[in-house]
Amino acid sequence: MTVELKKIIEPLLQWYEKEKRDLPWRHTTDPYKILVSEIMLQQTRVETVKEYYLRFMKELPTMEDLANVEEEKLLKLWEGLGYYSRAKNLKKCAQIVVNSKEKTLPSDYKKLTSLPGIGPYAAGSIASIAFGQKTPAIDGNVLRVMTRLYEDEREITLPIVRKHYFDLLQAIMPENTRDFTESLMELGALVCLPNTIPLCEKCPLNSFCQSYHHQTMLNFPTKKKMNERKIEEKTILIFQYQNTYAIQKRPSKGLLASMYEFLWKSPKLTKEEVIQELKKEKIEVEAIEALGEAKQIFSHIKWHMIGYHIIVKKPFKKSLWVTKDELKTKYSLPNAYKKYAKKIGV
Ligand code: ADE
């Protein structure tokens, strides 16, 4: 059984027309909006992105607005989405675009990939969704669909595998590039599911699918052994003085750059050890409460955390003391810290 790929187009587009989700970025052809949605969607679930996208568009409706936004406000809009370099690159990208002769996002795939934060996937999706270019967007969803279709055992992180499917899909891409790109992603998201039994009975491509034919769907895509993430232990200290909490700004480079955080120490400490440490630092404690353990996974590291809520008798310098309200509206707190903030109603 060989797959004649052209044959997938019609059933796929018909299925998409019937089954597609009503998503906010599907109501626009504005390249700016497509750009923002695709960057948000790269590492974040659709359900999460919806709300962030709508808020972002309300606050920054144009490329100029994004180019001129203050970093603090931008990070606040991105707070909770993770991978914050995406937001910073988006702003850099907007600045380059508004200062260019054309003042609009280029429609050309190669030119798109030369902009900050736009890799081959985003370039393919933006060019095909916003500009009608025949440039497939090869993401994890699409690679899952394709490797199952062909029972392709190759490792999907290999650039040659991406290139292979880019070329194959480009060769058959219909004029309706937008729906074609979105329909493949949608099939991966709704039917050709990862980490569970896919819904092959509902799949418009099942009659072409080699892995369905042999019932080997779960063997594809071939899983690469994950590089073990380095574990970092942290003790999160939420200091409270009256109705204010101590925070500090993270360095401008590296993980969670320029965001705000509660104070912390390494490694994980017991309550007694925290009390000892604070004594050494001459911080007078009125009360201390353990907030339990939590984990946060990033792309290359994992934080194993333990937290404490500590009421102090005097505020200490070096920290910014802010109210709950300010923490909610003004300062961007990464998810790792939010887990603890929530525990004390912040
Ligand atoms: N994932 C990435 N891009 C998407 C899009 N445009 N619609 C739905 N899911 C997506």
XYZ file of all heavy atoms in Angstrom, residues 25 28-42 53 56-57 63 66 78 89-91 93-94 97 105 112 115-118 122-123 125-126 129-131:
330
model
N -8.412 33.455 16.074
C -7.500 33.857 14.996
C -7.938 33.298 13.642
O -7.322 33.552 12.633
C -6.060 33.439 15.312
C -5.959 32.017 15.753
C -5.768 30.932 14.955
C -6.055 31.523 17.090
N -5.758 29.793 15.709
C -5.914 30.124 17.027
C -6.236 32.127 18.348
C -5.969 29.315 18.164
C -6.280 31.314 19.464
C -6.149 29.935 19.376
N -9.667 36.203 11.117
C -8.907 37.341 10.602
C -7.948 36.902 9.502
O -7.543 35.734 9.457
C -8.097 38.019 11.744
O -7.430 39.156 11.210
C -7.068 37.093 12.361
N -7.622 37.882 8.649
C -6.553 37.626 7.663
C -5.400 38.596 7.923
O -4.453 38.644 7.160
C -7.061 37.846 6.223
O -7.655 39.149 6.175
C -8.068 36.800 5.806
N -5.509 39.382 8.985
C -4.472 40.365 9.307
C -3.164 39.641 9.662
O -3.109 38.904 10.657
C -4.977 41.207 10.499
C -3.967 42.253 10.929
O -2.815 42.200 10.456
O -4.330 43.112 11.759
N -2.122 39.843 8.855
C -0.863 39.116 9.104
C -0.316 39.325 10.517
O 0.261 38.407 11.103
C 0.096 39.689 8.061
C -0.792 40.201 6.978
C -2.040 40.680 7.652
N -0.524 40.520 11.048
C -0.048 40.786 12.412
C -0.716 39.834 13.415
O -0.064 39.234 14.273
C -0.338 42.246 12.772
C -0.207 42.545 14.249
C 1.035 42.477 14.885
C -1.327 42.873 15.022
C 1.154 42.732 16.242
C -1.215 43.132 16.373
C 0.023 43.058 16.983
O 0.145 43.301 18.330
N -2.019 39.686 13.244
C -2.766 38.830 14.181
C -2.398 37.356 13.994
O -2.296 36.598 14.961
C -4.272 39.049 14.013
C -4.650 40.468 14.409
C -6.124 40.739 14.324
C -6.368 42.149 14.872
N -7.672 42.655 14.569
N -2.182 36.980 12.753
C -1.772 35.592 12.490
C -0.389 35.352 13.108
O -0.135 34.321 13.732
C -1.728 35.300 10.968
C -3.075 35.595 10.308
C -1.251 33.882 10.691
C -4.208 34.685 10.663
N 0.480 36.350 12.944
C 1.833 36.231 13.523
C 1.743 36.009 15.026
O 2.320 35.054 15.568
C 2.621 37.530 13.239
C 3.883 37.744 14.086
C 4.997 36.799 13.626
C 4.372 39.199 14.003
N 0.997 36.856 15.715
C 0.919 36.741 17.175
C 0.318 35.385 17.563
O 0.826 34.691 18.443
C 0.098 37.907 17.781
C -0.128 37.689 19.267
C 0.807 39.230 17.534
N -0.740 34.983 16.875
C -1.377 33.718 17.258
C -0.428 32.553 17.028
O -0.297 31.667 17.878
C -2.693 33.502 16.500
O -2.457 33.306 15.122
N 0.275 32.551 15.923
C 1.159 31.418 15.648
C 2.317 31.345 16.642
O 2.733 30.265 17.043
C 1.683 31.468 14.209
C 0.632 31.135 13.157
C -0.031 29.766 13.366
O 0.644 28.833 13.826
O -1.236 29.659 13.082
N 2.822 32.508 17.034
C 3.926 32.488 18.012
C 3.389 31.994 19.365
O 4.018 31.175 20.030
C 4.591 33.887 18.136
C 5.192 34.311 16.792
C 5.645 33.887 19.244
C 6.268 33.410 16.217
N 2.208 32.453 19.735
C 1.632 31.978 21.003
C 1.380 30.465 20.951
O 1.591 29.753 21.925
C 0.304 32.680 21.292
C 0.447 34.098 21.764
S -1.180 34.779 22.164
C -0.691 36.303 22.972
N 0.911 29.997 19.794
C 0.503 28.591 19.689
C 1.685 27.629 19.608
O 1.505 26.422 19.734
C -0.376 28.409 18.446
C -1.802 28.941 18.586
C -2.429 29.177 17.222
C -2.656 27.963 19.399
N 2.876 28.183 19.391
C 4.010 27.284 19.199
C 4.304 26.373 20.367
O 4.658 25.242 20.190
C 5.252 28.088 18.865
C 5.526 28.056 17.386
C 6.764 28.813 17.064
O 7.847 28.489 17.529
N 6.629 29.849 16.286
N -4.641 35.546 23.565
C -4.679 36.178 22.240
C -5.673 37.334 22.239
O -5.375 38.437 21.778
C -5.045 35.121 21.195
C -5.378 35.679 19.834
C -4.374 35.973 18.911
C -6.699 35.930 19.471
C -4.683 36.494 17.667
C -7.013 36.451 18.231
C -6.011 36.728 17.336
O -6.331 37.252 16.111
N -4.365 40.243 24.273
C -3.230 40.844 23.566
C -3.746 41.754 22.448
O -3.282 42.879 22.276
C -2.374 39.717 22.967
C -0.958 40.106 22.640
C 0.061 39.881 23.550
C -0.636 40.634 21.402
C 1.380 40.202 23.238
C 0.682 40.954 21.087
C 1.692 40.741 22.004
N -4.734 41.291 21.715
C -5.254 42.063 20.591
C -6.024 43.295 21.052
O -6.067 44.300 20.372
C -6.153 41.193 19.704
C -5.376 40.228 18.869
S -4.073 41.113 17.979
C -2.856 39.831 17.847
N 0.654 46.249 14.732
C 2.095 46.010 14.774
C 2.814 47.196 15.442
O 3.766 47.018 16.186
C 2.581 45.826 13.331
C 3.962 45.294 13.179
S 4.093 43.511 13.509
C 3.799 42.850 11.891
N 2.599 47.016 19.165
C 3.531 46.024 19.711
C 4.965 46.569 19.677
O 5.722 46.412 20.632
C 3.431 44.707 18.917
C 4.446 43.631 19.237
C 4.411 43.246 20.718
C 4.199 42.380 18.380
N 1.991 38.512 28.588
C 2.466 37.153 28.281
C 2.506 36.275 29.536
O 2.691 35.075 29.468
C 3.871 37.232 27.668
C 4.186 36.120 26.720
C 4.799 34.934 27.032
C 3.914 36.065 25.313
N 4.933 34.158 25.904
C 4.391 34.824 24.838
C 3.313 36.944 24.399
C 4.290 34.445 23.490
C 3.220 36.564 23.076
C 3.701 35.334 22.640
N 11.022 38.459 21.352
C 11.312 38.386 19.921
C 10.181 38.965 19.083
O 10.422 39.585 18.059
C 11.572 36.933 19.505
C 12.984 36.503 19.848
O 13.906 37.325 19.844
N 13.171 35.244 20.159
N 8.948 38.765 19.543
C 7.806 39.337 18.805
C 7.932 40.851 18.737
O 7.706 41.460 17.693
C 6.508 39.005 19.539
C 5.580 37.960 18.963
C 4.327 37.866 19.805
C 5.208 38.233 17.520
N 8.311 41.439 19.856
C 8.450 42.900 19.871
C 9.584 43.334 18.931
O 9.434 44.284 18.170
C 8.712 43.389 21.295
C 8.897 44.886 21.350
C 9.073 45.430 22.741
C 9.529 46.882 22.619
N 9.691 47.531 23.901
N 10.662 41.791 16.376
C 10.166 41.559 15.025
C 9.277 42.730 14.593
O 9.435 43.282 13.495
C 9.402 40.235 15.022
S 8.554 39.879 13.516
N 8.375 43.155 15.483
C 7.469 44.267 15.155
C 8.264 45.548 14.911
O 7.945 46.331 14.009
C 6.469 44.466 16.296
N 9.771 45.393 11.501
C 8.743 45.555 10.465
C 8.305 47.017 10.344
O 8.260 47.571 9.246
C 7.535 44.631 10.739
C 6.365 44.972 9.825
C 7.929 43.171 10.549
N 4.546 42.999 7.389
C 5.241 41.717 7.476
C 5.488 41.198 6.051
O 4.585 41.255 5.222
C 4.310 40.758 8.218
C 4.903 39.597 9.005
C 5.869 40.077 10.065
C 3.758 38.823 9.658
N 10.575 35.893 6.047
C 9.953 35.706 7.366
C 10.923 35.018 8.324
O 11.050 35.405 9.480
C 8.663 34.883 7.241
C 7.428 35.632 6.743
C 6.322 34.658 6.349
C 6.908 36.601 7.805
N 13.393 37.038 10.408
C 12.939 37.913 11.511
C 13.078 37.217 12.869
O 12.979 35.987 12.951
C 11.479 38.307 11.277
C 11.264 39.253 10.088
C 9.787 39.324 9.706
C 11.797 40.642 10.415
N 13.304 38.004 13.930
C 13.497 37.385 15.252
C 12.298 36.531 15.666
O 11.149 36.974 15.527
C 13.627 38.593 16.197
C 13.939 39.747 15.329
C 13.391 39.468 13.969
N 12.587 35.354 16.130
C 11.526 34.492 16.694
C 10.739 33.714 15.659
O 9.874 32.916 16.018
N 10.963 33.977 14.376
C 10.205 33.252 13.349
C 11.087 32.153 12.752
O 12.016 32.423 12.004
C 9.679 34.193 12.248
C 8.827 35.301 12.880
C 8.877 33.406 11.206
C 8.076 36.155 11.901
N 6.866 28.667 12.037
C 6.049 29.884 12.058
C 6.025 30.531 10.674
O 4.978 31.018 10.228
C 6.572 30.857 13.106
N 7.171 30.527 9.986
C 7.217 31.127 8.644
C 6.255 30.389 7.717
O 5.493 31.006 6.966
C 8.641 31.081 8.095
N 3.604 28.633 8.536
C 2.198 28.845 8.884
C 1.764 30.269 8.530
O 0.691 30.469 7.962
C 1.926 28.501 10.352
O 2.705 29.282 11.202
N 2.592 31.264 8.831
C 2.188 32.652 8.532
C 2.057 32.847 7.014
O 1.070 33.409 6.527
C 3.205 33.658 9.132
C 3.187 33.565 10.658
C 2.896 35.077 8.674
C 4.409 34.171 11.329
N -1.066 30.843 5.881
C -2.359 31.263 6.453
C -2.684 32.716 6.076
O -3.800 33.039 5.698
C -2.356 31.072 7.987
C -2.305 29.582 8.334
C -3.585 31.720 8.619
C -2.158 29.264 9.812
N -1.675 33.589 6.172
C -1.966 35.014 5.948
C -1.730 35.455 4.508
O -2.300 36.443 4.072
C -1.115 35.857 6.901
N -0.864 34.764 3.796
C -0.457 35.287 2.478
C -0.709 34.330 1.306
O -0.292 34.607 0.181
C 1.034 35.647 2.503
C 1.366 36.758 3.464
C 2.155 36.527 4.589
C 0.895 38.051 3.240
C 2.469 37.544 5.471
C 1.213 39.083 4.112
C 1.997 38.837 5.236
